[in-house]
Amino acid sequence: QQSDNYECLIEGNEIFFDEFRTYLAQHVPDLSLDRDILPQMRHQVYCTVESVWANLRANNRPGGFQLLGFDFMIDSSHRVWLIEVNGAPAAAARLTQPLAQDILSLCLYPRFPWQQPSASAPTHNFSLIAPAEELDRAVGIEPYSCRGERLSPSTRVPRS
């Protein structure tokens, strides 16, 4: 944290999926990003979000969303390690437009289908790991309910 470059995005310090697929095909042809690496990442993301879901849910409005950035490393045995989770992730310039399109496709259009463009916007490398309802059930939270004109989360239901 003492460095002038702290929190600076350093070119070459990350690799994108398309580049990583090419690298694997050239150097480790028996290893597949889609078959071997991404499932590990998705599992770690799901478990991490599930572990803090009650707190995330309590601090967000119904219909809201939180963009999280997950940083991973892969060891020589091809095991994926979660390094950190960023609540306000930095994104490379080439990800900004696809990220914005995927936020609309994944978070907004399902709630407001009449706002969706006539041609469904494609998703890129961003995906919804699990619907909120699934995570609610996993941690034993009642869904949001309407009381009068004000929406509020129900109290946490203990697991049985």
Side-chain angles (χ1 to χ4, degrees):
Q1 293 182 355
Q2 306 300 319
S3 170
D4 292 338
N5 293 329
Y6 183 71
E7 294 187 346
C8 175
L9 183 62
I10 300 169
E11 191 64 37
N13 205 22
E14 60 191 6
I15 189 167
F16 298 96
F17 288 160
D18 53 347
E19 296 160 350
F20 193 47
R21 279 186 188 94
T22 301
Y23 174 86
L24 290 175
Q26 293 172 353
H27 300 282
V28 193
D30 293 339
L31 189 65
S32 164
L33 176 66
D34 298 293
R35 183 191 67 230
D36 303 313
I37 304 297
L38 289 179
Q40 292 182 68
M41 290 178 167
R42 285 188 182 102
H43 177 74
Q44 289 186 18
V45 168
Y46 182 89
C47 290
T48 301
V49 171
E50 182 185 37
S51 74
V52 296
W53 183 248
N55 289 336
L56 287 174
R57 196 69 147 85
N59 295 322
N60 281 306
R61 290 184 242 174
F65 67 92
Q66 173 72 45
L67 177 66
L68 301 171
F70 288 76
D71 294 343
F72 297 96
M73 288 186 79
I74 302 169
D75 68 18
S76 60
S77 301
H78 311 132
R79 184 169 177 200
V80 175
W81 294 89
L82 175 62
I83 299 172
E84 68 176 349
V85 180
N86 298 293
R94 75 181 246 195
L95 295 179
T96 306
Q97 184 175 352
L99 176 60
Q101 289 173 335
D102 285 352
I103 287 173
L104 291 172
S105 296
L106 297 167
C107 302
L108 183 65
Y109 296 151
R111 296 188 182 278
F112 304 100
W114 61 89
Q115 297 287 342
Q116 188 166 356
S118 56
S120 200
T123 58
H124 299 85
N125 284 322
F126 303 95
S127 62
L128 190 63
I129 296 298
E133 296 78 18
E134 179 181 326
L135 288 162
D136 285 346
R137 284 191 301 275
V139 299
I141 296 177
E142 287 291 322
Y144 280 101
S145 61
C146 186
R147 296 184 183 125
E149 294 182 13
R150 194 170 171 194
L151 291 174
S152 63
S154 301
T155 57
R156 184 180 169 113
V157 176
R159 292 185 186 191
S160 39

